[in-house]
């Protein structure tokens, strides 16, 4: 691949703001304050829940209903208060 044609992709980091495992969706918030929808189908295989406060790095795609978080990586798990 031509190095000049390569584009650096920056994945935002943030945290899980809310996730309802019964309804199968929630929201993430980037460190810059942007919110994105997170659907259960975008969780890793075998995962059905993610805890609020979990720090993640993720990709965003534009969907018909706005920003949607996909292909994320756990950075840290939430701490118990």
């Amino acid at each position: 691949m031509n190095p000049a044609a390569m584009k650096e992709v920056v994945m935002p980091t943030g945290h899980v703001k809310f996730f309802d495992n019964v309804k199968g969706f929630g929201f993430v918030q980037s460190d810059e304050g942007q919110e994105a929808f997170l659907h259960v189908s975008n969780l890793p295989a075998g995962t059905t829940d993610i805890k609020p406060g979990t720090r993640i790095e993720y990709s965003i795609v534009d969907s018909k209903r706005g920003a949607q978080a996909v292909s994320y990586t756990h950075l840290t798990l939430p701490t118990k208060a």
Side-chain angles (χ1 to χ4, degrees):
M1 179 178 269
N2 180 354
M6 294 175 63
K7 181 180 177 184
E8 181 180 359
V9 176
V10 177
M11 293 179 65
T13 57
H15 68 278
V16 176
K17 185 173 180 178
F18 160 83
F19 192 84
D20 185 327
N21 63 340
V22 174
K23 294 182 179 179
F25 72 89
F27 292 89
V28 298
Q29 183 171 20
S30 73
D31 293 337
E32 290 77 32
Q34 179 185 6
E35 288 188 11
F37 178 78
L38 176 62
H39 191 266
V40 69
S41 65
N42 292 326
L43 298 179
T47 304
T48 59
D49 192 16
I50 185 169
K51 302 292 181 207
T54 302
R55 297 267 314 145
I56 61 173
E57 179 179 63
Y58 55 97
S59 297
I60 295 179
V61 296
D62 288 322
S63 70
K64 292 187 284 186
R65 296 183 177 174
Q68 185 169 345
V70 294
S71 64
Y72 75 88
T73 303
H74 280 85
L75 297 178
T76 61
L77 297 175
T79 57
K80 291 185 178 182

